[in-house]
Amino acid sequence: MAAATTTTTSGSSPLEKGTTLRDLPKSWHFTSSLPPDPLFPTPADSHKTPRDEIGPRQVRNALFSWVRPETQKDPELLAVSPTALRDLGLALSEAETDDFKQMAAGNKIFGWDEETLSGEGYPWAQCYGGFQFGDWAGQLGDGRAISLFEAKNPQTGVQYEVQLKGAGLTPYSRFADGKAVLRSSIREFVVSEALNALRIPTTRAVALTLLPHSRVRRETMEPGAIVVRMAQSWLRFGNFDLLRARGDRENMRRLATYIAEDVFGGWEKLPGRLDDPDKPTNSLEPKRGVSEKEIQGPEGTEENRFTRLYREIVRRNAATVAKWQAYGFMNGVLNTDNTSILGLSIDFGPFAFMDNFDPAYTPNHDDHFLRYSYRNQPTIIWWNLVRLAEALGELMGAGASVDDPTFITSGVVSEDAAIPLIARAETLITQAGEEYKAVFLTEYKQLMTARLGLRVFRESDFDTLFSTLLDTLEALSLDFNLFFRRISALRIADIATDEARAAAATRFFYKEGLTITSTPAEEAAARERLGEWLALWRARVVADWGTLTDWGTGPASSPVSAAAEDARIAAMKAVNPNFVPRGWILDEVIRRVEKEGERDVLKRVMHLALHPFEDSWAGREFEDGVVYEGDAEEELRWTADVPRTARAMQCSCSS
Ligand code: AMP
Ligand code: MG
């Protein structure tokens, strides 16, 4: 049915600029900075142990266990993300090599010599815990993810930790099998790269491998797979939760210090105090690069370096959840073990992009209380941040005494000392809550302003434009992301009158009409309602773009010049994706790969995910000098209305 994807290289592509996997500079900072599982203190201890004897157990006083991936027979590399390879620093052609294919299946370990049982590094699985659906769940950890190495891109200097998901049992597998099914692996592979292309912070996916001999029991028997994924850090709130639950103060401090120094690049990169007199007024962005001594914070708070670390984590997560809200993305399982220290979207299970706008929607079939629904995401991330604050509270509340030798070894020993510590921690957490709200709102307003094609945000826009739009989309069950793409191309001149606006409103309806049962009167009322909103939007576009004198003159009838209109449309298309990987598209891709043996469809869905803002893809040359053949029919289908029976689908957690 679909045309084959063939690409022709014209000239030398930037995707070929990278290095080989072998030459990629690798490191093992995480494992050399933090304590290993005491049962296998060295890689050799782990390597000498038969693979099937490294099974689930409680691991204490450790941040990780050395554990190698299971060996796989006849792995089939199904697809790669050219963009992730580039960002990692690898040449695209490297994906064709045996080194890469074996690494992606867990069969090749870099940095380790099996003969001499020695080397620079060894694979590992992290130890963490978490609150699941609000309840403390105890030790969790990387139950099926195994990290291989950290690699620094020689060109950009950005370091990623490369990890395999579905690589076999670890000490953290609990009652499960350490495997991942092809279905959920395809979902994670595509959505990671789609989110990144939408500029939403996320962990990345490099490659997808099918394990032909692996049959995995879920609701049915399914094929197994491995995703090679990468992130600047895989640390989660759950790492801190577990240390707190176990009263492990020493590792709490070590881990916090490791994150500040190694993950965030140094204490001086963290935000300085909010009331800094040198900070420009009205700027939410705190000054960075201030030394510890300068940090006092508002009266009595003594913002020490651990508070600044906490605030950095707060700020990053606030910005990310604002992006999820602005793009209608839901993770579906925002437990603290799935909440990233770096504010990355992480651990993709029953995630979804919003179809018809419904704030109460959750993609998680098992989330009966709607804990992780769209509208709850900002509250839940704050809930998770408060759990993190409880873990870091002692270090934050200690203020300027945080480095006193007795505090380091014994903490607060008297009630007299504990009372001010707790009071200070509470004040700091309350302040961080305000900062969370402020960063969230700033980011959200900025994104919505851009998505609606405005040049400046006005305070009145929030209620008049944003809220009324969301209410209207919800009331009329209109598709969230299609709305933004479709309004991008709407010209001001075409919505100048009530009649014209009511007519234009139809373009936001599904092809079958408002609903399949809606009456002509209901349709007319809906057109009128949307038309009224379009009048408000039009006025704002005119206010922002109409007064510009340097755009040349437009048609006499339009208050906005043609050139300004073109610029506005281009700006809107650059932020409003034409392609988002909806549940039904992923289901189709899964079926075609799994049941019909197709392979190229993965390349095509990945290409669209990596270039979401284009009007079309097939037959066009992309920035890397490669002509993309694609499939014009398929891409039209994937960017059109969501089929009626496939809207707002839900899936289970089983993956
Ligand atoms: P999740 O909510 O999917 O991120 O998973 C929660 C915990 O269960 C994590 O510690 C995972 O590593 C673990 N887990 C989930 N599925 C499996 C599996 N098939 N095998 C081993 N561990 C798993
Ligand atoms: Mg998880």
Side-chain angles (χ1 to χ4, degrees), residues 132 140-141 143-144 173-174 176-179 218 337-338 347:
Q132 298 186 318
L140 300 167
R144 51 178 166 170
S173 302
R174 300 188 292 161
D177 56 10
K179 298 173 198 273
R218 293 294 180 260
D337 55 303
N338 293 340
D347 279 15

Side-chain angles (χ1 to χ4, degrees), residues 369-403:
F369 296 106
L370 309 183
R371 181 181 174 87
Y372 298 137
S373 60
Y374 173 80
R375 71 163 154 239
N376 277 357
Q377 291 192 127
T379 317
I380 281 296
I381 291 295
W382 176 245
W383 191 93
N384 293 351
L385 279 161
V386 176
R387 301 288 82 69
L388 179 67
E390 286 165 0
L392 290 172
E394 196 200 28
L395 289 167
M396 289 161 62
S401 316
V402 74
D403 294 320

